[in-house]
Amino acid sequence: RSMVPKPRHTKTEHKKRSHENLFTGVRKMAIESVGIIGTGTIGLCAIHWCVKRGLKPVAFERNNHIGGIWVAEEPPCHSPAYDSLFTNSSNALMNLSDHPFPFKTSSAFPHHKEISTYYETYADKFELRKYINFLTEVTRVYKKDDKWIVLTSAGSSYQFDAIMCCSGRLWDPVLPRWAKTVSNPIDIIHSHQYRNTSKYVGKNVLIVGIGNSALDISLELAQDPNVKSVMVSCRRGTTIIPTRDGKGNPVDKRLTSRMFNYWINSAMRALLFGRLVQDVNKKFRKYGLPEPADGMGAPRAPFSN
């Protein structure tokens, strides 16, 4: 190992070197117009920051409202939001950095209607609606020379320097192959279509999966005395992370705090995390939920809130 000390750089020199490294080998492009597909969380942020950076955004929204999947409607529809849905992240982490919640939420974990209202206030605060084409579905996007061409359901054609695809990934339900081959006279639906317990009175219900939606829906069904029985089926183990600690405080505030992530070493973090989840997971293990194959603290171990 060389004992020669490394040269020290001033902040100005460091910024200059970082800037040079960033653009090394990258062809400079003159971007002015930007097409944005979708006006959910990311789409609204994209419009706002494009405007702030001096770009000219044009957004396309196939519904008549902003907010994406947070705007609940009766199925078949774009949103998977069921009546009782609330966030599994606390309001401190759900708001955008430049727009704190302008109203007090009903709890530390806002209801989906409150999130929808929040994005309405975000769009109004930054005057984003004038950049949006509502009831306009994008049917095709392709590149021609150095421009991106966008075709819409209205038969219109647009040309842009860049495209931001903000259409999300939770609006298109996918059923497993076996669900399409079941011959028994039973109702099989995707959680995207679930709204409340009213259709399951007197029925035995099987929930397939152990993700966040599965946990929410199974709990709601189990608490309804008119539902005959509820069973959860999962193909592998997982770790259940509670949304609140023993004192009722949001867990995510602790797990994302600077102290937890930077001031505490990895061994101590693993110990604290284990203590946080062990009581909840003991109850799930008692009823048959296996542990993840690599253990609860493994880097890629699955988890659900």
Side-chain angles (χ1 to χ4, degrees):
R1 180 181 298 176
S2 172
M3 300 301 292
V4 178
K6 294 181 180 180
R8 302 179 70 87
H9 303 288
T10 65
K11 287 185 177 180
T12 304
E13 289 173 332
H14 182 72
K15 285 182 70 176
K16 183 178 179 182
R17 289 165 65 91
S18 299
H19 186 271
E20 289 172 351
N21 291 338
L22 181 65
F23 287 98
T24 299
V26 179
R27 183 168 61 93
K28 290 187 176 180
M29 296 179 63
I31 295 178
E32 183 177 7
S33 60
V34 180
I36 298 171
I37 305 171
T39 59
T41 306
I42 304 303
L44 292 174
C45 289
I47 299 170
H48 172 48
W49 285 100
C50 279
V51 173
K52 202 162 186 177
R53 298 293 183 181
L55 303 176
K56 297 178 180 178
V58 175
F60 303 94
E61 172 56 58
R62 69 178 183 177
N63 295 300
N64 62 356
H65 55 73
I66 61 172
I69 62 173
W70 292 106
V71 181
E73 299 170 307
E74 284 299 314
C77 65
H78 179 76
S79 174
Y82 33 92
D83 296 349
S84 62
L85 177 66
F86 56 88
T87 66
N88 58 2
S89 296
S90 64
N91 49 17
L93 297 182
M94 281 299 296
N95 62 208
L96 300 170
S97 60
D98 53 356
H99 184 57
F101 273 95
F103 54 86
K104 186 176 181 180
T105 57
S106 56
S107 75
F109 298 90
H111 187 265
H112 68 80
K113 290 183 178 179
E114 293 176 310
I115 298 298
S116 174
T117 301
Y118 170 76
Y119 287 125
E120 293 281 348
T121 64
Y122 182 81
D124 291 339
K125 177 180 178 179
F126 297 110
E127 301 180 344
L128 304 182
R129 296 178 199 274
K130 60 187 177 184
Y131 302 101
I132 304 172
N133 292 300
F134 290 101
L135 297 175
T136 305
E137 183 174 2
V138 173
T139 57
R140 187 185 177 196
V141 178
Y142 64 95
K143 196 168 188 179
K144 185 177 181 181
D145 299 326
D146 284 336
K147 298 292 183 180
W148 289 93
I149 310 301
V150 173
L151 303 182
T152 71
S153 55
S156 302
S157 175
Y158 296 80
Q159 183 174 283
F160 299 102
D161 298 321
I163 294 290
M164 292 186 179
C165 188
C166 309
S167 53
R169 60 187 183 90
L170 300 176
W171 57 269
D172 189 15
V174 178
L175 285 169
R177 286 191 297 269
W178 59 260
K180 301 173 184 177
T181 61
V182 173
S183 57
N184 295 332
I186 60 175
D187 295 328
I188 298 179
I189 70 163
H190 192 278
S191 59
H192 189 283
Q193 299 167 276
Y194 176 82
R195 288 298 178 266
N196 52 55
T197 64
S198 61
K199 295 181 179 179
Y200 306 96
V201 172
K203 294 184 177 182
N204 298 303
V205 183
L206 173 67
I207 308 291
V208 180
I210 195 68
N212 296 346
S213 295
L215 290 172
D216 278 355
I217 294 171
S218 60
L219 177 61
E220 183 169 74
L221 289 167
Q223 290 177 328
D224 188 332
N226 297 313
V227 176
K228 195 171 182 180
S229 69
V230 181
M231 180 74 71
V232 177
S233 169
C234 58
R235 61 181 171 179
R236 63 172 66 95
T238 189
T239 298
I240 308 298
I241 301 179
T243 54
R244 297 178 185 268
D245 61 20
K247 297 180 180 179
N249 300 314
V251 165
D252 58 9
K253 284 187 178 181
R254 181 186 301 182
L255 296 182
T256 57
S257 68
R258 186 180 298 273
M259 183 181 75
F260 187 84
N261 286 283
Y262 297 105
W263 295 357
I264 300 176
N265 62 43
S266 58
M268 182 60 71
R269 280 201 304 272
L271 177 63
L272 291 174
F273 178 77
R275 294 192 61 180
L276 178 68
V277 301
Q278 65 180 355
D279 289 339
V280 170
N281 283 270
K282 277 182 182 178
K283 296 174 184 177
F284 278 87
R285 307 286 179 244
K286 177 182 177 183
Y287 288 96
L289 177 66
E291 283 195 21
D294 297 328
M296 288 196 304
R300 295 183 179 272
F303 66 89
S304 299
N305 288 114

